[in-house]
Amino acid sequence: MEYSPILHNLYVVPSSHAKNKVFVFCIMLSLWVYMIYCCVGYCSTMPNLAYGSVNRHEKYSEVDNKESSLGASRDLLNNENDLDSRGEEWDEIRGEAKALDDNAMSGFLNESESKKLPQAIIIGVKKGGTRALLEFLRLHPDIRAVGAEPHFFDRNYDKGLKWYRELMPKSSEGQLTMEKTPSYYVTKEVPARIYTMSKDTKLIVVVRDPVTRAISDYTQTRSKKPDILSFESLTFKNMSAGLIDTTWSAVQIGMYAKHLEHWLQYFPTEQLLFVSGERLISDPAGEMARVQDFLGLRRVVTEKHFHFNPAKGFPCLKRPEGNSKPHCLGKTKGRTHPNIDPEVVQRLRDFYKPFNSKFYQMTGHDFGWD
C-alpha cells in the first residue's frame, strides 16, 4: 500500500486536537482545585464571630432554665421566676448581644481583654429604676455591664465564682465590669456573699417613693395575671383594722431601712450610693453625675445624651453625634397605674413614714417622700 500524506493528516490531526483538549481540561481542573484549597484555608483562619454570640445565648438559656425549675416564691403574686420580667430581660440580652457583636472584631484584636468579676453592682430595688440606670451607664465607654440579671448571689451561688465570671462581658484594663440584680437588696444572705467575693465592691441602690413603688410592682404583676386580687385586698391582713400585710413582697421591699441594716453589717455607707428614682426621671444628667463620680469615672454621660419622652413619662437615650432617633426603654416601662383607693394610699404612707425617717437618717439624705 502506498504512503499518502492526505491519509496521514486525517489520522494525526484528530489525535492532536484530543491531546490539546485534555491538556486544557487538566489546567482548568488544577486551577479549580487550587482555588477551593485557598478558600478553605482562608475560612479556617477567620475568627468565628457567630459562635461567641450563640454561646452567650446558650449560657443565658441555661440560667433561665435553671431558674424556671426552682420552687415557687413565698409570695406567688410577685414570683420573680415568672414571666413578669423575663420578656424585658431577653429583649435586653438581644440588645447586649448586638452590641457585643458590633464590637467583636475589636475584641479579637485586643488580646488584653478578659472577663472579670464585677467591681460594682446595682443591688436594688425592684421597680425603682434599676434598668434605666444600667442603660444610662452602658453609654459610658469605661463601663462593661451584663444585660440580663445573673441572680448569682441569691439563686445561683452554689455554681461558684467561675460560673459567675463567665456571665460577664470582656473588659480591658481601666474598664469597670458591672451587673444589676434588684432582688439582692432584700435577700439577707447576699451582703455576706458579696463581701466574701470582694470587700471593695461598690454598691448602688436605686430607690423611689415606697408607695409608688408598691403600686408599680402590683401593676407589673397584674399585666401578666389580670385575675389577681385588688391592690387594696393584698395590702391589708385586716382591712377594717388597717393592719398592713408586711409578708407581701410589694409592701416588704419598700421597708428600705430594715434591709439596709443587713448591708451595713458588712459595708460602710461610703461604699453604697443611693440613687433617687424620681430624680433619675426629672434630672437624669444630674443623677448620672453623682453615679459617675461614685464609680470614679469621667463625666461622659451628660444632658446631651437624654431626650424626654412625654408619652412614656421618662427620658430616652440619644447619641450626641448624628441625628439618630432617641432610644427609649421597652414597652413594659411606663405602664399606666390603676386607680387606688386614696384611703389605702394614705394608710400606706402612714405605715412607711417611720421606715422612711430612719432610712433618711441612715443614708444622710432626705428623699422627700413624706
Side-chain angles (χ1 to χ4, degrees), residues 264-281:
L264 294 182
Q265 292 176 17
Y266 295 90
F267 298 95
T269 53
E270 296 77 21
Q271 228 165 300
L272 290 97
L273 178 69
F274 298 91
V275 176
S276 167
E278 288 84 6
R279 284 199 67 211
L280 205 56
I281 294 174

Side-chain angles (χ1 to χ4, degrees), residues 120-132:
I121 303 176
I122 301 173
I123 59 174
V125 297
K126 181 184 179 185
K127 307 309 296 179
T130 58
R131 172 52 54 187

Side-chain angles (χ1 to χ4, degrees), residues 125-320:
V125 297
K126 181 184 179 185
K127 307 309 296 179
T130 58
R131 172 52 54 187
L133 177 60
L134 186 69
E135 292 305 310
F136 296 170
L137 281 170
R138 290 172 81 180
L139 290 173
H140 201 293
D142 295 334
I143 291 285
R144 289 292 178 268
V146 61
E149 298 171 4
H151 285 281
F152 172 67
F153 293 103
D154 59 349
R155 300 182 191 171
N156 297 297
Y157 193 63
D158 60 327
K159 294 185 177 181
L161 288 174
K162 184 178 179 181
W163 177 88
Y164 184 44
R165 183 187 289 109
E166 282 301 308
L167 297 181
M168 300 299 126
K170 287 186 176 181
S171 60
S172 58
E173 190 68 28
Q175 291 182 321
L176 200 67
T177 301
M178 294 188 66
E179 71 116 317
K180 77 109 177 168
T181 303
S183 55
Y184 288 166
Y185 186 68
V186 298
T187 306
K188 291 181 180 180
E189 298 82 7
V190 172
R193 292 172 175 177
I194 293 180
Y195 183 87
T196 300
M197 177 189 74
S198 174
K199 63 181 181 179
D200 298 320
T201 306
K202 293 186 177 183
L203 308 169
I204 300 177
V205 190
V206 188
V207 291
R208 68 192 288 199
D209 182 334
V211 177
T212 308
R213 197 222 66 82
I215 296 172
S216 179
D217 201 337
Y218 171 80
T219 302
Q220 175 177 287
T221 304
R222 196 179 71 162
S223 70
K224 299 294 181 180
K225 301 175 182 178
D227 57 341
I228 66 170
L229 297 174
S230 68
F231 181 85
E232 292 82 353
S233 300
L234 294 168
T235 300
F236 296 98
K237 283 184 178 179
N238 188 319
M239 186 79 170
S240 57
L243 186 62
I244 303 291
D245 187 358
T246 57
T247 64
W248 184 31
S249 67
V251 169
Q252 189 182 83
I253 290 172
M255 299 160 66
Y256 302 139
K258 180 180 178 182
H259 304 301
L260 181 55
E261 290 174 351
H262 301 298
W263 290 92
L264 294 182
Q265 292 176 17
Y266 295 90
F267 298 95
T269 53
E270 296 77 21
Q271 228 165 300
L272 290 97
L273 178 69
F274 298 91
V275 176
S276 167
E278 288 84 6
R279 284 199 67 211
L280 205 56
I281 294 174
S282 64
D283 182 21
E287 208 67 0
M288 281 301 298
R290 292 182 61 235
V291 175
Q292 290 171 98
D293 289 348
F294 172 73
L295 295 174
L297 301 173
R298 297 167 293 142
R299 290 189 179 183
V300 173
V301 184
T302 60
E303 62 276 354
K304 63 187 178 182
H305 288 88
F306 299 102
H307 169 78
F308 188 78
N309 185 329
K312 279 185 168 290
F314 52 74
C316 299
L317 301 174
K318 64 178 182 179
R319 296 192 178 278

